[in-house]
Amino acid sequence: MGDLIRYGALPDGVTLRFKIGAFTPSTIPMEKLAEYMRDLAVILGSPENVHFLRLEAGSTEIVHVVDRGAFLVNVMSRVGGVRYGAAPVEAIAAYRSINKRLAEDRATGALINGELSAEILNFPGMWAVEAEPFPPVTQAGAIDGVVIRLGGTGANVPVHVQAGDTVYSKCLASREIARELGHHLFGGPLRLTGQGKWTRDADGVWNLDRFLIGGFEPLDSKPLSRVVSELRSLRSGWEDVADPWDEIMKLRNDDEGEDAH
């Protein structure tokens, strides 16, 4: 391994350099260096194919090598995805983490292809322009789920609603509506209608800030097979339908086609 490090590359590998425009190898705190390296590894992906070689002086340069096959097939597309905001969530988060750390260190950074001496990913760091915060959006909407908690002493009562693996904990209802919801606690699914306030975070994800419940109605939780059986018993034209789900999807597509016109 010593010879490989001396020559700066592994067999059939592409050497990359991550330049940190601050510190030197002798002044950068080891914990901070480890944080940079961890995020860089997440950006590149393919952990079994990325190998650390050395630190170089000037400013701090993390020199590493990527197995050529992994570089061409996976790493370059992942780095390109980060550049254009289309990479996996964890890679985008790691890129933002490095930029934030660089800004705190009053520095910039760059990932460079050592073979071509070409920059393949820029880290503006302290020169990054912060995006204007997107204003909250308030609009009418609905939440489908099961009421799992009610309580509070104010005029608006906190309500927790579970929809699959998601729990909406910022719902509110008047005391009158909360009293009615109490009959459905841990019961069947409900459709809660009202006004929701949504905010968007730095990653572009919309989060529910508040939902004021104005009304609700129980949702029919019958299985599709039972619904179709009831329709057939009514001589509604569903008697000879072989695949009810396929028929429902056809009807839905027909409706959307008409709406388009």
Side-chain angles (χ1 to χ4, degrees), residues 14 45 69 105 114 116 129 138 146 165 168 173 183 202 217 224 230-231 242 245 249-250 253 260:
V14 177
D105 293 335
L116 305 175
V129 178
T138 301
V146 175
D165 295 330
Y168 295 100
H183 299 296
E217 61 180 357
L224 178 62
E230 292 177 355
L231 286 171
W245 183 251
M249 294 306 294
K250 286 180 181 177
N253 290 334

Side-chain angles (χ1 to χ4, degrees), residues 15-17 83 110-121:
T15 301
L16 302 180
R17 298 169 177 269
R83 187 188 303 119
L111 181 63
I112 295 171
N113 183 329
E115 286 188 351
L116 305 175
S117 297
E119 181 178 284
I120 58 176
L121 190 60

Side-chain angles (χ1 to χ4, degrees), residues 21-247:
F23 305 105
T24 66
S26 60
T27 62
I28 188 169
M30 187 166 66
E31 182 178 11
K32 186 178 290 289
L33 175 62
E35 291 172 346
Y36 275 117
M37 292 181 69
R38 180 195 63 218
D39 286 335
L40 179 60
V42 173
I43 289 174
L44 297 174
S46 302
E48 69 282 1
N49 301 116
V50 179
H51 314 278
F52 170 75
L53 293 182
R54 63 184 179 274
L55 290 181
E56 287 192 353
S59 55
T60 302
E61 284 192 27
I62 301 172
V63 184
H64 49 294
V65 67
V66 182
D67 298 343
R68 190 171 298 276
F71 179 79
L72 295 175
V73 175
N74 299 318
V75 174
M76 274 304 293
S77 63
R78 188 173 171 101
V79 170
V82 170
R83 187 188 303 119
Y84 297 110
V89 173
E90 67 272 13
I92 298 293
Y95 175 78
R96 288 176 174 155
S97 177
I98 286 179
N99 260 322
K100 181 179 179 181
R101 196 174 299 112
L102 286 167
E104 293 169 351
D105 293 335
R106 303 299 300 163
T108 61
L111 181 63
I112 295 171
N113 183 329
E115 286 188 351
L116 305 175
S117 297
E119 181 178 284
I120 58 176
L121 190 60
N122 178 260
F123 296 83
M126 64 178 180
W127 302 120
V129 178
E130 292 189 10
E132 289 290 328
F134 200 89
V137 173
T138 301
Q139 61 182 20
I143 295 175
D144 294 348
V146 175
V147 176
I148 60 172
R149 184 176 177 182
L150 280 167
T153 58
N156 287 324
V157 179
V159 181
H160 288 200
V161 181
Q162 183 170 8
D165 295 330
T166 302
V167 174
Y168 295 100
S169 59
K170 297 185 178 181
C171 300
L172 298 168
S174 67
R175 290 193 171 197
E176 292 74 17
I177 292 178
R179 189 181 303 114
E180 296 175 23
L181 286 172
H183 299 296
H184 298 273
L185 188 64
F186 295 109
L190 304 175
R191 172 157 294 162
L192 306 161
T193 55
Q195 287 285 330
K197 179 182 179 183
W198 300 82
T199 56
R200 192 172 72 171
D201 62 21
D203 296 326
V205 177
W206 287 96
N207 298 292
L208 181 63
D209 185 62
R210 183 185 63 202
F211 189 82
L212 184 59
I213 301 169
F216 69 92
E217 61 180 357
L219 291 175
D220 193 344
S221 57
K222 296 177 186 176
L224 178 62
S225 58
R226 182 175 170 185
V227 173
V228 172
S229 177
E230 292 177 355
L231 286 171
R232 284 172 172 164
S233 70
L234 296 174
R235 299 289 179 181
S236 57
W238 284 73
E239 297 88 342
D240 300 322
V241 174
D243 187 340
W245 183 251
D246 183 59
E247 187 65 22

